[in-house]
Amino acid sequence: MSIYSILDILGFVFVMYSLFFKRKYQNRISYIYLLFWTILASLRGYGVGNDTSGYAYFFSGKVYPSLHFNSYGTLALPDTEIEGAFVWIARVLSFISTSPTFLFSVIAIPFFSAIYHLYKDKIFGGIGLLWLFTSTYSMMNIMYVERQCLSLGILFWGIIFLEKEIEKSEVKIVGYKYFLKQRNVILTLCMLVLAAFVHKTSAIAIVLYFAIRWMKVRKIYAAIAVLLCFSISLTSVSIIQQYFDMCFALLGGISWNSLDVMARYQDSMETNNISFLNLASFALPCLVTIFFSSKDEIQRRDFKMYITAICMMLLFSSSPFMARFIVVFLILGYSAAIPAFALKNKILLTFYISISVFYLWKMVNLYANWPVKISTDLPYVFFWE
């Protein structure tokens, strides 16, 4: 059994056990669960993860031994696809240490700590975290993609600080002009801009985030959107995938060769499975949550992100770059995946626990049949092994 399976199973057991205790104990379980993921991301061997070796050579200043697509150049002479902000941050870090483990640790800590704060004190934050790591393999994939992982860490902390400022200043009362002149707000906005320059996909995510955040949502429209995306995903998903990949190539600066490589990788991983059961496992819980959520819950920022993430999952589930973009909204939204009403209704809570069991079974099965000849995410080894 893989180390990821063991961690997810233990996480499931302790999260379910924590439901019988107060919120602070649930927070501790979430903290420990994310701490172990941080350790795995930070202390992994330099061959764990398809992109890891390229970043290891890049940061240590060594030239990649071949013309393999994972070559990112070096700090002195980076590849043209590497964003300038990431290069300069890596150069600053290299004055402290040129060990790839140091780079991986510096990137993993803000990324996973931001996720902890996004899920902390949420009613069912622990189950949301489990879904984040078991409903898809996106989280395991994204933590090995250093540029986007760093970008998302900065992006999430920027969002956390900005939301706190919005709550404190009561924007609707003081007005936006006064709000935007505040020093802390300017600093958080600078963090969002930096995130966009560390990895291009964050720029698209930021625009969508603010567009969705201020949107008014009604139950009927949210349900129709999910049902419509579910219906389309059963019939026209391949066409949508082509347009989605083309947009990433044009807007994100991704080469067509990388798209082709990722497409073959997805085929080997069997992640573009568009079976009715796989799609329904995302659509059904979402529809149930919409039905049982209160009017206040529906207008929450994380609820809107959850609906957006599920619609994207349904439409773009077969896209090679699904994990590179949709994971942003999965992280921002899964904390609202279960309504507060489930606390009062044992049947409803049992339904969500059953979904958790299904996700866990699906992920453990994926790890057990991992295509080791195509993906180096498994077997996992630490950097000293």
Side-chain angles (χ1 to χ4, degrees):
M1 183 176 289
S2 75
I3 191 171
Y4 306 124
S5 297
I6 295 173
L7 183 55
D8 285 337
I9 292 172
L10 290 176
F12 174 85
V13 171
F14 284 107
V15 166
M16 294 302 145
Y17 182 69
S18 71
L19 294 178
F20 298 97
F21 296 92
K22 295 181 180 180
R23 194 70 49 77
K24 65 177 182 179
Y25 295 108
Q26 297 178 25
N27 288 337
R28 290 175 185 176
I29 294 298
S30 298
Y31 179 86
I32 294 172
Y33 182 61
L34 287 171
L35 177 62
F36 278 107
W37 278 104
T38 305
I39 293 172
L40 291 183
S42 302
L43 304 183
R44 70 186 188 271
Y46 301 157
V48 177
N50 284 0
D51 293 343
T52 299
S53 58
Y55 286 113
Y57 276 97
F58 166 81
F59 189 65
S60 61
K62 300 177 182 178
V63 179
Y64 204 83
S66 70
L67 296 178
H68 192 267
F69 77 97
N70 279 352
S71 176
Y72 299 120
T74 63
L75 283 174
L77 191 62
D79 187 82
T80 55
E81 289 189 10
I82 305 295
E83 290 82 352
F86 177 82
V87 174
W88 282 106
I89 291 174
R91 286 174 177 171
V92 172
L93 293 175
S94 68
F95 287 110
I96 302 174
S97 173
T98 57
S99 168
T101 300
F102 173 69
L103 175 68
F104 300 158
S105 301
V106 170
I107 292 175
I109 291 172
F111 176 68
F112 286 104
S113 61
I115 294 176
Y116 171 73
H117 281 274
L118 287 170
Y119 286 75
K120 181 183 178 182
D121 293 328
K122 298 299 173 67
I123 296 177
F124 290 105
I127 295 181
L129 275 179
L130 284 178
W131 288 16
L132 182 61
F133 283 89
T134 58
S135 62
T136 76
Y137 81 105
S138 300
M139 283 300 297
M140 190 194 66
N141 179 271
I142 207 70
M143 71 182 188
Y144 294 152
V145 186
E146 299 305 319
R147 280 153 44 223
Q148 189 172 8
C149 192
L150 175 61
S151 177
L152 291 183
I154 299 171
L155 172 64
F156 293 148
W157 275 114
I159 289 175
I160 291 169
F161 293 142
L162 186 62
E163 292 295 338
K164 287 183 178 180
E165 290 300 319
I166 291 176
E167 292 176 4
K168 287 193 299 183
S169 62
E170 297 180 349
V171 176
K172 294 181 179 179
I173 298 177
V174 303
Y176 287 98
K177 290 184 179 180
Y178 174 82
F179 173 73
L180 293 174
K181 290 180 181 179
Q182 302 307 301
R183 181 181 299 176
N184 291 339
V185 174
I186 295 174
L187 290 175
T188 55
L189 292 177
C190 288
M191 292 179 68
L192 299 182
V193 173
L194 176 61
F197 280 98
V198 171
H199 197 271
K200 300 182 183 71
T201 55
S202 289
I204 306 173
I206 291 170
V207 174
L208 284 177
Y209 173 81
F210 284 107
I212 297 167
R213 192 215 184 281
W214 300 111
M215 187 183 299
K216 293 293 182 180
V217 178
R218 293 179 60 183
K219 278 190 177 185
I220 184 65
Y221 296 145
I224 290 174
V226 173
L227 286 171
L228 183 61
C229 292
F230 178 67
S231 301
I232 294 174
S233 66
L234 294 173
T235 56
S236 307
V237 71
S238 60
I239 298 175
I240 296 173
Q241 172 192 331
Q242 294 174 7
Y243 283 104
F244 188 65
D245 291 344
M246 183 175 66
C247 290
F248 256 112
L250 295 176
L251 299 177
I254 298 168
S255 67
W256 293 105
N257 179 61
S258 295
L259 282 173
D260 181 60
V261 171
M262 284 297 296
R264 294 199 303 270
Y265 175 68
Q266 296 287 100
D267 288 338
S268 300
M269 292 293 298
E270 297 182 355
T271 52
N272 52 351
N273 182 359
I274 55 174
S275 67
F276 179 86
L277 179 61
N278 190 50
L279 295 172
S281 69
F282 292 103
L284 181 59
C286 186
L287 291 171
V288 172
T289 297
I290 292 172
F291 181 80
F292 286 102
S293 294
S294 65
K295 292 183 178 180
D296 291 336
E297 285 179 312
I298 289 176
Q299 301 307 325
R300 281 170 44 189
R301 163 183 55 86
D302 45 1
F303 180 88
K304 298 173 186 177
M305 299 303 152
Y306 174 55
I307 301 299
T308 302
I310 295 303
C311 288
M312 287 183 174
M313 283 291 297
L314 293 172
L315 290 176
F316 309 131
S317 60
S318 63
S319 170
F321 280 87
M322 175 269 292
R324 301 291 184 92
F325 184 70
I326 302 176
V327 69
V328 179
F329 297 94
L330 288 175
I331 293 171
L332 292 171
Y334 261 151
S335 60
I338 303 178
F341 184 72
L343 285 173
K344 304 176 182 179
N345 191 307
K346 292 183 179 180
I347 296 177
L348 184 60
L349 181 58
T350 301
F351 166 77
Y352 286 114
I353 292 176
S354 300
I355 295 296
S356 302
V357 172
F358 174 77
Y359 286 156
L360 179 62
W361 169 82
K362 184 173 69 171
M363 192 54 55
V364 170
N365 186 61
L366 174 63
Y367 292 147
N369 297 281
W370 197 265
V372 293
K373 293 183 179 180
I374 302 296
S375 169
T376 59
D377 294 341
L378 284 173
Y380 181 91
V381 295
F382 291 98
F383 74 92
W384 62 79
E385 294 186 79

